[in-house]
Amino acid sequence: MKFSVTVTLKKDVLDPQGKVVEQTLKNMGTNSLIGIRQGKYFEVEINEKDETKAEKQINEMCNKLLVNTIIENFSIKRI
Amino acid sequence: MNSSVIVFPGSNCDRDIAVALEKSKFKNKMVWHKENELPKSDLIVIPGGFSYGDYLRSGAIAAKSNILKEVVKASKKGCLILGVCNGFQILIETGLLKGALLRNQNLRFLSKDVYLKVLNNENKFCNKYKSNELIKLNIAHNEGNYFTDQKHLESLEEKNLIAFKYCDKKGDILNDSNPNGSLNNIAGIFNEEKNILGMMPHPERMIEDILTNQDGMKLFNSLFN
């Protein structure tokens, strides 16, 4: 079973990398752009048939290692 | 007194720390991260460097190593723990110190000497410094931008758990003297019991006049008591 984990910075954490990317896109002429926040993406494959159990395990992986929950949020999706 | 310096693949300030510790008369041992036991230690130092190439987040992988479990146990028994630079990042990732160290606000790796104000000298790490003493140490990091939630930040200030703040050469703590964007110019913090200190600047680089000054030596001399 395969899942995606998307990690994003919390709202009140500054994201200087995202800001630079945003500014560059604006300089390139993307006038409609409102904002960019940069994050991280993981693909996690797990040997587990029960989707709820699998998600629970991935949730644990996120809390223990993949995500710093002080500054980051995450979401898990089956792919 | 006995000290241990933890060594990871990618540590690069471990020898410098050992020299500083031996200069202040510690009996020091180097401890490889795969070890399951710590030698008898009054002080454990987690040195700077780039453990595991800063993969995932700086310090995140090292924080899960065998020896760190022992370091956490020792800290609960009151052993003194010093984390410098990557060592500070590792202490944050273990949860021994609260907060996060984000990428420097200007997105640049910073390698330079900075002025610091010693805000708390009533502890085992800084007792040889005068209160509010102005010192000059070196910084060399990419992720030193200290962040925490507002409530914790207020409690750090109220409980006097901030060891050092970045300042200018007159000792004024200003936005302009903040090299990396750290909240409230924070350069180093204690845990509540003050047996753990994490700091981004490198005291081990300032232990000889030939290397600019001896401002870092007072920290190691404070610890040896």
Side-chain angles (χ1 to χ4, degrees), chain A residues 51-68:
Chain A
E51 189 170 339
T52 321
K53 279 186 191 163
E55 241 182 86
K56 206 178 152 199
Q57 284 184 52
I58 292 170
N59 198 60
E60 209 177 302
M61 288 178 203
C62 287
N63 281 308
K64 279 190 174 163
L65 182 67
L66 297 181
V67 182
N68 180 349

Side-chain angles (χ1 to χ4, degrees), chain B:
Chain B
M1 284 176 86
N2 298 302
S3 60
S4 296
V5 175
I6 312 292
V7 187
F8 296 96
S11 296
N12 64 10
C13 302
D14 44 330
R15 292 303 313 157
D16 305 46
I17 291 267
V19 169
L21 290 168
E22 280 155 15
K23 202 178 171 197
S24 58
K25 307 282 188 273
F26 273 97
K27 267 179 82 181
N28 185 54
K29 284 204 170 118
M30 307 303 274
V31 183
W32 185 237
H33 68 111
K34 283 189 174 164
E35 298 290 330
N36 288 307
E37 259 178 74
L38 277 166
K40 191 175 167 289
S41 316
D42 304 293
L43 166 72
I44 301 166
V45 186
I46 309 180
F50 299 87
S51 58
Y52 298 93
D54 279 348
Y55 292 174
L56 190 61
R57 295 178 305 274
S58 309
I61 308 289
K64 308 296 172 194
S65 62
N66 286 349
I67 200 68
L68 252 292
K69 289 185 195 127
E70 299 306 309
V71 174
V72 172
K73 275 189 217 161
S75 76
K76 306 285 179 212
K77 288 180 194 156
C79 181
L80 297 172
I81 318 274
L82 170 66
V84 175
C85 197
N86 189 223
F88 186 14
Q89 295 164 339
I90 293 168
L91 288 177
I92 289 265
E93 284 286 345
T94 58
L96 286 176
L97 292 172
K98 282 193 212 156
L101 288 156
L102 306 175
R103 189 138 178 222
N104 296 340
Q105 203 163 11
N106 65 5
L107 300 177
R108 293 198 185 105
F109 185 93
L110 296 167
S111 178
K112 60 177 188 177
D113 294 349
V114 293
Y115 290 98
L116 300 163
K117 198 171 230 184
V118 183
L119 293 188
N120 183 340
N121 65 346
E122 289 171 2
N123 57 76
K124 295 263 167 64
F125 297 86
C126 303
N127 56 58
K128 292 275 193 295
Y129 293 108
K130 289 185 207 96
S131 175
N132 288 321
E133 186 170 336
L134 181 66
I135 62 171
K136 193 183 190 185
L137 297 180
N138 179 261
I139 55 167
H141 61 247
N142 200 39
E143 284 89 10
N145 177 356
Y146 183 76
F147 177 87
T148 192
D149 60 64
Q150 194 58 34
K151 208 175 140 199
H152 180 232
L153 183 65
E154 282 164 19
S155 105
L156 284 174
E157 293 278 5
E158 274 166 27
K159 293 179 179 163
N160 207 6
L161 297 176
I162 299 168
F164 307 103
K165 280 190 179 181
Y166 300 108
C167 62
D168 65 12
K169 62 179 172 189
K170 285 187 209 146
D172 294 328
I173 298 159
L174 306 166
N175 272 342
D176 284 348
S177 59
N178 186 343
N180 53 22
S182 287
L183 288 176
N184 292 16
N185 286 36
I186 289 174
I189 57 166
F190 299 105
N191 64 336
E192 295 224 359
E193 292 75 25
K194 296 199 191 93
N195 67 318
I196 305 177
L197 169 64
M199 59 192 289
M200 288 316 294
H202 289 271
E204 77 280 9
R205 294 187 183 181
M206 278 25 188
I207 60 164
E208 304 268 7
D209 281 330
I210 203 167
L211 305 169
T212 70
N213 69 53
Q214 294 198 38
D215 288 354
M217 202 58 222
K218 284 188 190 172
L219 188 134
F220 296 100
N221 287 338
S222 299
L223 285 162
F224 192 85
N225 250 328

